[in-house]
Amino acid sequence: MKRIVIFASGSGSNAENLIKFFQNSDKASVIQVLTNNPHAKVLDRCKRLKTSALSFNRVAFSKSEDVLNILRTSKPDLIVLAGFLWKFPEFILNEFQDRVINIHPALLPKYGGKGMYGMHVHNAVVANEETETGITIHYVNENYDEGAIIFQAKCEVSPSDSAVDVAAKIHELEMEHFPKVVEKLVVS
Ligand code: GAR
C-alpha cells in the first residue's frame, strides 16, 4: 500500500476529496494530514473522516527538523500540497526529491508566485478578462509554483463570470482530476 501525506492550510475540500477517493483504494491511502493552521477547517474534516492530522508552527517546519522527522517516521511515497500556503523548505524537498506535488488554481506559469492563491488568483483572472483558466498540478521545487508541470485542465471564463463563478469552475476541475492524477503518480 502506497502512503500519501497531505499538507493543507485552510478549508481542505481537496484533502477531503483525496481522503475519500483513497478510502476505496487497495493501492494507496492518505495516512496523515499536516497543517500550519491549528484552526483550519481541514482538521474538522480529518476528525470526521478518522484521518490522522497534526498542526505545526513555523519553527517546527522550517527552522528545525521537527516536521521532517514526522515525515521520516510516516515515510510517504508522495507528499501532496492541497491548498498549502507556506513555502516548502528546501531541506525537506531534498529528502523527498520528485515526491512533492502541488495543485494550483490557474494555468501556470500564469497567475503563479507569492501572494497568488485562492481568490486572489480568480480575482486577477477576471480583472484581466481572461477567456480561459484552469488548474495545474506540478512538482514542487524551491520557487513558488515553478516546478515541472504534470497535468493541466482548462475551463472557459465567460464575460459575465465573477471571481466566485470562476472559483466554482476551478473547484469542479480540482474535484474531478486531482485524485486521479495523484493515483497515477503514486502507483506508477
Ligand atoms: C484550492 O483551490 C487550491 O488549488 C488552492 O487553494 C485552494 C484550497 O482549497 N491553492 C493555491 O492557491 C496554492 N497557491 P481547499 O482548502 O478547499 O482544498
Side-chain angles (χ1 to χ4, degrees):
M1 196 75 151
K2 299 288 180 149
R3 304 160 70 79
I4 299 166
V5 169
I6 296 175
F7 281 74
S9 297
S11 166
S13 67
N14 279 284
E16 174 160 358
N17 192 38
L18 290 166
I19 292 166
K20 284 180 172 160
F21 181 91
F22 287 104
Q23 277 174 346
N24 299 317
S25 168
D26 54 2
K27 296 181 190 126
S29 157
V30 175
I31 55 157
Q32 186 172 50
V33 174
L34 299 173
T35 181
N36 59 310
N37 176 2
H39 308 294
K41 202 170 147 193
V42 70
L43 291 172
D44 302 330
R45 296 185 194 261
C46 288
K47 210 176 207 177
R48 177 161 44 78
L49 295 162
K50 301 186 175 27
T51 299
S52 154
L54 275 178
S55 68
F56 57 82
N57 61 25
R58 205 173 275 282
V59 173
F61 188 46
S62 49
K63 307 257 180 290
S64 73
E65 294 199 347
D66 291 358
V67 169
L68 178 57
N69 283 329
I70 290 171
L71 293 170
R72 282 172 176 151
T73 303
S74 54
K75 296 186 176 31
D77 296 288
L78 192 68
I79 296 173
V80 177
L81 312 190
F84 183 65
L85 300 183
W86 282 2
K87 194 153 184 246
F88 221 73
E90 231 174 306
F91 69 90
I92 302 184
L93 288 175
N94 289 340
E95 215 160 302
F96 290 90
Q97 222 145 36
D98 295 326
R99 278 188 288 157
V100 186
I101 66 165
N102 178 48
I103 188 159
H104 188 77
L107 295 171
L108 291 174
K110 283 179 135 183
Y111 303 104
K114 200 169 162 48
M116 271 295 166
Y117 61 89
M119 287 308 292
H120 297 286
V121 175
H122 311 313
N123 283 329
V125 164
V126 168
N128 288 340
E129 300 178 2
E130 296 285 356
T131 54
E132 63 174 22
T133 185
I135 61 169
T136 303
I137 297 165
H138 65 93
Y139 287 104
V140 174
N141 69 11
E142 62 285 4
N143 300 315
Y144 269 115
D145 303 327
E146 283 185 17
I149 291 174
I150 301 161
F151 174 88
Q152 291 188 308
K154 291 180 183 177
C155 61
E156 268 180 31
V157 181
S158 55
S160 62
D161 279 347
S162 66
V164 171
D165 297 327
V166 173
K169 290 181 180 179
I170 292 299
H171 181 74
E172 217 171 280
L173 287 179
E174 292 188 335
M175 294 299 110
E176 182 187 345
H177 295 289
F178 201 17
K180 293 181 205 158
V181 174
V182 169
E183 182 181 46
K184 223 176 185 174
L185 283 173
V186 84
V187 301
S188 65

